[in-house]
Amino acid sequence: MSKKDLLLQRLDQIGESLKNTGEALALLGLGSVGKELGRLDEYSDLDFFVIAKEGFKTRFIEKLDWLTSISPVIYYFQNTDDGYKLLYEDGVYCEFAIFEEQELAEADFAEGRIVWKEDGFDESICSPKDKSIRWKPKSKQWAIGEALTCLYVGLTRFARGEKLSGTRFIQNYALDNLLSLSNLIEDEVDYYKDKYQNERRYEKRYPKTARQLSEMIQGYDKSPQSAIKIVEFIDQNFEINQAMKKVIIDLANELKDDK
């Protein structure tokens, strides 16, 4: 059996197990086992929500027999008040949460696929009210300003010997703000955009920009070199303050040469 078939079979088995408890209302598949089945592959995992009957949420959290009875489990831990991360012996990895109906109505999540439901269950509560993209910037100028100032702060941290902090500011925070404007740099390929994380499937969504990322993410010891590439890329695609660009490049070159 292929890994893809195993994943879908295991999700169906979980649905059947929930049904047999008599204490659940529905199983909602998310991500690549939800509405995005087209991207399911051998590296996918099982993301899902269990909608419990009123008063039974605690039962599903405190007793995982509805999962362990299906196949041997080698590891699990409770990562939130509502759910767990769990690994089966056969390599099926799960991340899940348990909600009751009124909680799901208030939860923030990406739209999923109903794998199993009890007769009469109201499917409408499985459609999130808020579908906005979380990582979108306030404005183009805000994102550019954040990117430039994060580059500068990152370089000053690097200069003090705070290389880890400098790396985060330059190769994470500054770059994230730049990449939030990717749709203004090239046309986005329609490929399963994630409302929470812009980096998900970025290489397929923005292939031209993605090919330049290795120059902008050069690693722990090369934050100055990365900063130069990032600010040059920003300048190539947007109008920016040239005095700020010069400050960033001058400081980066100074730190690069000192190494």
Side-chain angles (χ1 to χ4, degrees):
M1 181 184 298
S2 72
K3 182 66 176 292
K4 291 166 61 175
D5 290 339
L6 176 62
L7 289 165
L8 293 175
Q9 180 191 72
R10 183 61 45 79
L11 196 60
D12 287 339
Q13 290 172 329
I14 293 170
E16 184 68 20
S17 181
L18 289 168
K19 176 183 176 181
N20 291 337
T21 67
E23 298 161 345
L25 291 172
L27 174 63
L28 185 65
L30 304 169
S32 61
V33 293
K35 290 283 190 178
E36 302 175 358
L37 280 172
R39 67 176 181 85
L40 181 67
D41 62 27
E42 61 181 310
Y43 300 106
S44 294
D45 49 39
L46 296 185
D47 292 312
F48 59 88
F49 286 169
V50 173
I51 298 90
K53 290 184 177 179
E54 186 175 356
F56 286 99
K57 171 177 177 172
T58 300
R59 174 264 185 270
F60 286 110
I61 291 176
E62 292 184 349
K63 292 182 63 179
L64 298 182
D65 55 312
W66 53 281
L67 292 172
T68 59
S69 62
I70 297 171
S71 187
V73 170
I74 61 172
Y75 179 73
Y76 63 87
F77 86 102
Q78 186 172 356
N79 67 310
T80 69
D81 290 340
D82 302 308
Y84 285 79
K85 296 182 179 182
L86 176 148
L87 180 64
Y88 281 102
E89 188 177 75
D90 58 12
V92 174
Y93 175 71
C94 308
E95 295 189 6
F96 62 91
I98 319 294
F99 298 104
E100 295 185 7
E101 284 184 282
Q102 70 275 12
E103 293 178 303
L104 188 64
E106 302 301 321
D108 180 21
F109 61 99
E111 190 168 4
R113 173 179 67 90
I114 294 177
V115 178
W116 164 80
K117 67 181 179 68
E118 193 175 67
D119 292 342
F121 174 71
D122 180 7
E123 297 184 21
S124 66
I125 69 168
C126 294
S127 295
K129 296 176 182 177
D130 185 355
K131 299 183 180 181
S132 61
I133 303 298
R134 295 289 182 269
W135 45 262
K136 280 198 170 181
K138 297 176 182 178
S139 69
K140 179 178 74 172
Q141 290 306 317
W142 182 89
I144 291 171
E146 281 293 308
L148 294 176
T149 49
C150 283
L151 289 175
Y152 176 74
V153 171
L155 289 169
T156 62
R157 300 278 175 90
F158 189 91
R160 294 191 190 100
E162 297 180 53
K163 288 188 176 182
L164 178 58
S165 180
T167 299
R168 294 278 176 85
F169 268 86
I170 293 166
Q171 298 178 60
N172 291 104
Y173 310 148
L175 188 62
D176 283 350
N177 279 288
L178 165 59
L179 297 185
S180 71
L181 302 175
S182 297
N183 64 309
L184 302 179
I185 299 170
E186 66 173 294
D187 292 334
E188 181 178 7
V189 176
D190 184 13
Y191 193 79
Y192 304 114
K193 179 187 293 185
D194 190 302
K195 68 181 282 186
Y196 301 105
Q197 297 177 305
N198 188 27
E199 65 268 23
R200 294 302 306 274
R201 297 169 285 281
Y202 187 88
E203 291 80 1
K204 292 194 175 183
R205 291 167 45 233
Y206 296 106
K208 293 179 182 177
T209 304
R211 284 195 288 271
Q212 301 189 54
L213 289 178
S214 61
E215 292 295 312
M216 293 187 267
I217 310 172
Q218 295 188 38
Y220 180 76
D221 289 317
K222 293 192 174 182
S223 283
Q225 292 90 329
S226 300
I228 291 170
K229 293 296 183 179
I230 292 170
V231 75
E232 287 179 343
F233 186 82
I234 297 173
D235 192 34
Q236 289 165 11
N237 290 279
F238 304 101
E239 288 187 16
I240 66 171
N241 183 288
Q242 292 300 305
M244 189 62 175
K245 176 189 174 183
K246 185 177 186 302
V247 168
I248 290 167
I249 288 182
D250 286 350
L251 181 53
N253 278 324
E254 177 185 324
L255 294 171
K256 176 168 64 77
D257 292 339
D258 283 348
K259 189 177 180 303

